[in-house]
Amino acid sequence: MVIWTNGCFDILHRGHVELFQYANSLGDSLIVGLDTDERVRDKKGESRPVNRLEDRSYIISALECVDAVVSFGCDRELADHIQRLQPDIMVVGSDWRGKKVVGSEYAGEVRFFDRIGDYSTTNILERS
């Protein structure tokens, strides 16, 4: 079974790793989609991303629970990746519950992952 998740994953933290481990436990292959630097900047502001796409991709690819990483710069590219892969399960954060999840029509099912504690890149940046 192919599993898909995506996001910025700018500053990798425990919540991200637990999401990847959970997603990986659902199937045989975990594919992670990463927002390009330009897309992160558009969504999160000029000070983001902290880590460039090349670095984020390298770090996430190095995780044992991740099988492949792809990037996308717009919703159409994101949907195209998901349509091409036809994942059995798409794992998204529970903050997307009740909202339009790009590409979900190409996945066998969508599962929501609850945030772990107060781990978030925004919280990490606000504390520093």
Side-chain angles (χ1 to χ4, degrees):
M1 286 180 47
V2 174
I3 313 301
W4 169 273
T5 194
N6 63 270
C8 301
F9 306 116
D10 189 4
I11 297 176
L12 198 62
H13 55 70
R14 180 180 177 163
H16 293 147
V17 174
E18 290 200 30
L19 165 68
F20 298 148
Q21 289 173 331
Y22 167 74
N24 175 272
S25 76
L26 300 174
D28 306 309
S29 180
L30 173 59
I31 314 301
V32 176
L34 286 178
D35 293 278
T36 61
D37 294 344
E38 296 77 20
R39 185 169 165 100
V40 174
R41 211 171 350 272
D42 289 344
K43 290 169 65 176
K44 305 283 186 176
E46 285 301 312
S47 65
R48 302 279 298 276
V50 173
N51 293 298
R52 297 175 307 144
L53 174 63
E54 177 183 348
D55 296 329
R56 291 182 284 132
S57 181
Y58 179 85
I59 291 166
I60 292 169
S61 294
L63 297 173
E64 186 176 308
C65 57
V66 175
D67 295 289
V69 174
V70 298
S71 64
F72 57 92
C74 64
D75 285 355
R76 181 71 253 156
E77 286 180 14
L78 171 56
D80 287 348
H81 280 307
I82 298 167
Q83 183 177 21
R84 182 175 43 78
L85 291 166
Q86 298 283 310
D88 298 286
I89 301 171
M90 177 184 234
V91 178
V92 297
S94 59
D95 51 325
W96 283 94
R97 197 180 307 273
K99 299 177 187 174
K100 166 81 172 109
V101 176
V102 175
S104 60
E105 64 272 24
Y106 305 117
E109 70 175 284
V110 175
R111 293 203 190 170
F112 296 96
F113 183 79
D114 291 327
R115 182 179 297 273
I116 303 294
D118 68 346
Y119 293 102
S120 80
T121 299
T122 301
N123 288 347
I124 291 169
L125 291 173
E126 286 175 355
R127 286 192 304 251
S128 55

